[in-house]
Amino acid sequence: LTKPCYKYAVIATDIIILAMHQQVLSVLLIKMKKPPYQDCWAAPGGLARLDESVDDSALRNLEGTTGLNNIFLEQLYTFGRVDRDPSGRVVSVAYYALIPDSGISLKTTSNYAGIGWFDVQSMPKLAYDHKNMVDYAVKRLQAKLSYTNVVHNLLPKHFTLTELQTTYEVILRTQFDKRNFRRKIKAADIVVKTDLMTRSRANRPAALYRFKNRTYQTVQIL
Amino acid sequence: LTKPCYKYAVIATDIIILAMHQQVLSVLLIKMKKPPYQDCWAAPGGLARLDESVDDSALRNLEGTTGLNNIFLEQLYTFGRVDRDPSGRVVSVAYYALIPDSGISLKTTSNYAGIGWFDVQSMPKLAYDHKNMVDYAVKRLQAKLSYTNVVHNLLPKHFTLTELQTTYEVILRTQFDKRNFRRKIKAADIVVKTDLMTRSRANRPAALYRFKNRTYQTVQIL
DNA sequence: CCAAAAGTGTTTGTGCTACACCCATGT
DNA sequence: ACATGGGTGTAGCACAAACACTTTTGG
């Protein structure tokens, strides 16, 4: 299953893995070992097998790169230009995944020449049409922040309201008034205060919250 | 290009064609001639060729069934279950198209055993996973009605505000207050009154409007 | 005592909802 | 004249935006 078929288009899946990393929204990219994009950065992915569903192929690629399963993963869009892959006719079904920061330690496996996080606003030139995929994923995430609870996939179990607000602000590239933001989060009824506090670092400790519901649901938030 | 390939999954496109037909939101279905779903109703579609993009394949299928081009067509979702097609491994990229009522006269070609419009709320049992596709298309359309001007694809060039309102009400399955609805449409600034009027049928004639912009754009409407 | 971030209410204005009557036409 | 759908304004209410100071901790 390594050579493309030259009679029919074959199907690949590519995964746009997003996380808050060093205070910016970042995407996990790998450096490719082989032509036609040797030493280029790209989103992880690979050909779909005949005996697995497209969703399963995405899950397999996600787990293969990150070691993670049980992660938020959603289909994004299918990229089907004839010339999108110079090595043959490959149609790619793009997915995006959201993982909490530090949910993963990056080990370069022998499959890649490298792996790393990149700010979605300043990526290197990407292979194939992967830049389109990343941009599409960011737009989708931005849209879903305001009417679903997806953001919980980017946060640790316990977090402060300021961390939550910062996550929204970074991804949406806006600023919110602290009191208004908290009022909306309270009205949306998606988090509960725990009795834990942050260990303070030269300032007042903050209350830690957790999400009421860690399953995806649509709720008006902003 | 008629037999599936048994070494790799092949790619098909299916088109969910929607229109307002006899006052309900309807989908264009064809009756299949050949096994494995002989005499079943299904959305039109077919295998993608090696030398055409997936988008082009969808356009070709749309034009082949309806004779129309220059029509609103958008990718919906890719259906990739292993067992979705009993005759082989076929991954289908579903699209939906919006056409104005009476934009088309249905001629059964020899390719199909039949063709017809069906209320999306009372369809016959559909082949493959096509019911999922129709439901998905309806949901997408419902969502886009409130924040884009897509509705113009379902209406003739000239229409009354009541027709516009009815279209919204039928698709969203709600009722709107006439005055409030008109205020919102006015605020959205997407239509202009023409100097044409309906030929009245035992009642006061209505002003005919047209869309300011017949290109897709996102605008808050409801 | 100072620096740094946490936490908390009120006012003002805008936008949404609910609601009822007169108008123009064909029969 | 009557039946049918077309067309229009307002008042009340709820939600959203703007805005500043006090609290708690570590150093």
Side-chain angles (χ1 to χ4, degrees):
Chain A
L1 195 65
T2 49
K3 292 185 204 164
C5 163
Y6 289 104
K7 185 153 182 214
Y8 293 93
V10 295
I11 293 164
T13 51
D14 287 305
I15 322 290
I16 308 301
I17 300 168
L18 300 175
M20 292 294 295
H21 190 69
Q22 293 174 343
Q23 304 279 61
V24 297
L25 181 63
S26 303
V27 58
L28 187 66
L29 299 175
I30 57 162
K31 193 192 262 185
M32 302 183 75
K33 256 183 146 169
K34 296 178 194 164
Y37 281 108
Q38 191 168 9
D39 287 329
C40 258
W41 292 93
L47 296 185
R49 294 180 182 151
L50 195 48
D51 60 349
E52 71 186 352
S53 71
V54 177
D55 283 354
D56 286 343
S57 167
L59 284 168
R60 183 169 54 78
N61 281 320
L62 173 62
E63 181 155 7
T65 352
T66 64
L68 298 174
N69 53 13
N70 229 328
I71 286 296
F72 177 86
L73 181 69
E74 188 179 272
Q75 193 187 112
L76 254 191
Y77 195 79
T78 297
F79 293 79
R81 271 189 17 232
V82 171
D83 61 350
R84 60 174 297 282
D85 186 335
S87 63
R89 184 69 207 284
V90 180
V91 170
S92 174
V93 185
Y95 285 72
Y96 74 112
L98 302 178
I99 70 178
D101 194 13
S102 76
I104 178 183
S105 55
L106 302 182
K107 329 185 210 310
T108 297
T109 77
S110 57
N111 295 326
Y112 318 122
I115 186 168
W117 289 105
F118 293 86
D119 182 346
V120 294
Q121 289 186 84
S122 57
M123 296 179 289
K125 195 160 176 8
L126 299 195
Y128 308 101
D129 43 14
H130 286 190
K131 176 156 185 357
N132 290 340
M133 294 183 185
V134 176
D135 292 346
Y136 203 103
V138 171
K139 273 174 59 182
R140 175 81 62 96
L141 174 61
Q142 287 173 335
K144 295 225 163 183
L145 279 187
S146 61
Y147 67 92
T148 73
N149 67 346
V150 268
V151 72
H152 82 254
N153 295 292
L154 294 167
L155 290 167
K157 260 194 195 108
H158 298 283
F159 53 89
T160 68
L161 291 183
T162 302
E163 283 163 2
L164 179 62
Q165 179 173 347
T166 304
T167 304
Y168 270 88
E169 288 177 338
V170 166
I171 298 174
L172 295 176
R173 296 174 207 164
T174 46
Q175 299 262 100
F176 294 103
D177 176 85
K178 200 200 316 189
R179 286 162 292 186
N180 293 340
F181 181 82
R182 286 170 185 226
R183 188 179 6 261
K184 281 180 181 163
I185 294 297
K186 192 165 204 177
D189 193 36
I190 51 173
V191 299
V192 282
K193 194 190 267 197
T194 68
D195 49 5
L196 303 171
M197 303 285 274
T198 51
R199 213 70 184 105
S200 56
R201 35 191 192 289
N203 57 18
R204 178 172 171 176
L208 286 168
Y209 287 72
R210 64 176 174 79
F211 274 85
K212 271 195 175 173
N213 201 328
R214 288 198 147 260
T215 59
Y216 180 87
Q217 53 187 359
T218 74
V219 202
Q220 194 58 33
I221 295 182
L222 300 187
Chain B
L1 193 65
T2 49
K3 292 186 204 165
C5 164
Y6 289 104
K7 185 154 180 210
Y8 292 93
V10 295
I11 292 165
T13 51
D14 288 304
I15 322 291
I16 308 302
I17 301 168
L18 299 175
M20 290 297 293
H21 190 68
Q22 294 175 342
Q23 304 280 61
V24 297
L25 182 64
S26 303
V27 58
L28 187 65
L29 300 176
I30 58 163
K31 193 192 260 184
M32 302 184 76
K33 256 182 146 170
K34 295 179 196 165
Y37 280 107
Q38 192 167 6
D39 288 328
C40 257
W41 292 93
L47 296 185
R49 294 181 182 150
L50 195 48
D51 61 348
E52 71 186 351
S53 71
V54 176
D55 284 354
D56 286 343
S57 168
L59 284 168
R60 182 170 55 78
N61 282 320
L62 173 62
E63 181 156 7
T65 354
T66 64
L68 298 173
N69 54 14
N70 229 329
I71 287 295
F72 176 87
L73 182 69
E74 188 179 272
Q75 193 188 112
L76 255 191
Y77 195 79
T78 297
F79 293 79
R81 271 189 16 232
V82 171
D83 61 351
R84 60 173 297 283
D85 186 335
S87 62
R89 185 68 206 285
V90 181
V91 171
S92 174
V93 185
Y95 286 72
Y96 74 112
L98 302 178
I99 70 177
D101 194 12
S102 76
I104 179 183
S105 55
L106 302 183
K107 328 182 211 309
T108 298
T109 78
S110 58
N111 295 326
Y112 318 122
I115 185 167
W117 290 105
F118 292 86
D119 182 347
V120 296
Q121 291 187 81
S122 56
M123 295 180 290
K125 196 162 175 10
L126 299 194
Y128 308 101
D129 43 13
H130 286 190
K131 175 151 185 5
N132 290 340
M133 293 183 185
V134 176
D135 292 346
Y136 203 103
V138 172
K139 272 173 60 179
R140 175 83 61 96
L141 174 60
Q142 287 173 335
K144 294 224 165 183
L145 280 186
S146 62
Y147 68 91
T148 73
N149 67 346
V150 268
V151 72
H152 81 254
N153 295 291
L154 294 167
L155 290 167
K157 257 191 197 112
H158 299 283
F159 54 89
T160 67
L161 292 183
T162 303
E163 284 164 0
L164 179 62
Q165 181 174 346
T166 304
T167 304
Y168 270 87
E169 289 178 337
V170 167
I171 298 173
L172 294 176
R173 297 174 207 166
T174 46
Q175 298 262 98
F176 295 103
D177 177 86
K178 202 201 311 192
R179 285 164 292 189
N180 292 341
F181 181 81
R182 287 171 184 226
R183 184 173 318 111
K184 280 179 181 165
I185 294 298
K186 192 165 204 178
D189 193 36
I190 51 172
V191 299
V192 282
K193 195 190 268 197
T194 68
D195 48 7
L196 303 172
M197 303 284 274
T198 51
R199 215 67 183 109
S200 57
R201 33 190 194 291
N203 56 19
R204 178 173 173 175
L208 287 167
Y209 287 73
R210 65 177 175 79
F211 273 85
K212 270 194 175 173
N213 201 328
R214 288 197 147 262
T215 59
Y216 180 87
Q217 53 187 357
T218 74
V219 201
Q220 195 59 33
I221 295 183
L222 300 188

